[in-house]
Amino acid sequence: MDFGEGEGITYRTSNNMAGGPADLTDWTSDGEWNKQERALFADLGLDLNGPQQGATSCHTGLFPNPASSAVNWTMQTYAPTSGAGGYTVSATLVDRNYHIRQRIDRQSVINGITYILDLTRIGLSPNELYRLYYVVSNTNGLVYKGHGDIRCTPQ
């Protein structure tokens, strides 16, 4: 798994402010996903390499990063496309070998969510990188998909 250039994460403080270098491949709309990435969401029944309804539909990020105990993953959604109601968000946290460490299954979202990932409870290893993949859909299909990387630090 390629975690991107530099340190592979986008640094954010506990107040969700920029805290260092940014990985420009994190927390944006992704293009084509490989077979292992698509398999993480096979149960959704979506064409994950099909067209997205628009990256302007969502904004997401995670803070603090790096972190030792817990992180806040936030997603802000905007007005759904015509006739599509709200959104459904699914996410999967994996290690560098695509082993699933945590799943967030089909959460209904109208305006946005904040989800707390308890890194201690999940049992992540210090000084290791992990990736959170996410998929947003509505009744019209795939809205947005992407990923962001997390560095777990010693407590």
Side-chain angles (χ1 to χ4, degrees):
M1 178 178 302
D2 180 7
F3 286 100
E5 293 184 23
E7 296 184 40
I9 66 169
T10 295
Y11 279 77
R12 303 298 290 184
T13 69
S14 60
N15 294 324
N16 200 16
M17 304 296 291
D23 179 348
L24 300 179
T25 67
D26 284 354
W27 316 115
T28 65
S29 177
D30 281 350
E32 189 169 315
W33 276 359
N34 66 37
K35 183 177 179 179
Q36 290 170 298
E37 292 166 326
R38 292 189 314 270
L40 296 171
F41 300 95
D43 61 317
L44 297 180
L46 297 170
D47 178 2
L48 295 173
N49 282 339
Q52 298 175 55
Q53 294 174 37
T56 59
S57 301
C58 303
H59 173 76
T60 189
L62 179 133
F63 68 96
N65 200 10
S68 61
S69 58
V71 295
N72 299 287
W73 174 51
T74 62
M75 177 169 284
Q76 178 67 46
T77 56
Y78 303 104
T81 57
S82 176
Y87 297 102
T88 300
V89 176
S90 298
T92 304
L93 179 68
V94 299
D95 64 20
R96 64 178 60 250
N97 295 311
Y98 297 98
H99 297 131
I100 297 172
R101 304 305 299 264
Q102 174 84 28
R103 287 185 61 92
I104 302 168
D105 289 320
R106 298 183 179 165
Q107 299 291 311
S108 294
V109 177
I110 299 295
N111 296 316
I113 61 167
T114 297
Y115 194 89
I116 299 171
L117 295 168
D118 184 337
L119 306 181
T120 304
R121 186 182 59 76
I122 296 169
L124 302 187
S125 299
N127 299 317
E128 186 58 64
L129 288 170
Y130 297 88
R131 177 163 287 172
L132 182 69
Y133 287 99
Y134 46 87
V135 173
V136 180
S137 60
N138 62 18
T139 57
N140 293 331
L142 179 65
V143 173
Y144 182 76
K145 71 175 186 184
H147 76 273
D149 300 324
I150 305 165
R151 181 180 304 279
C152 188
T153 59
Q155 290 191 4

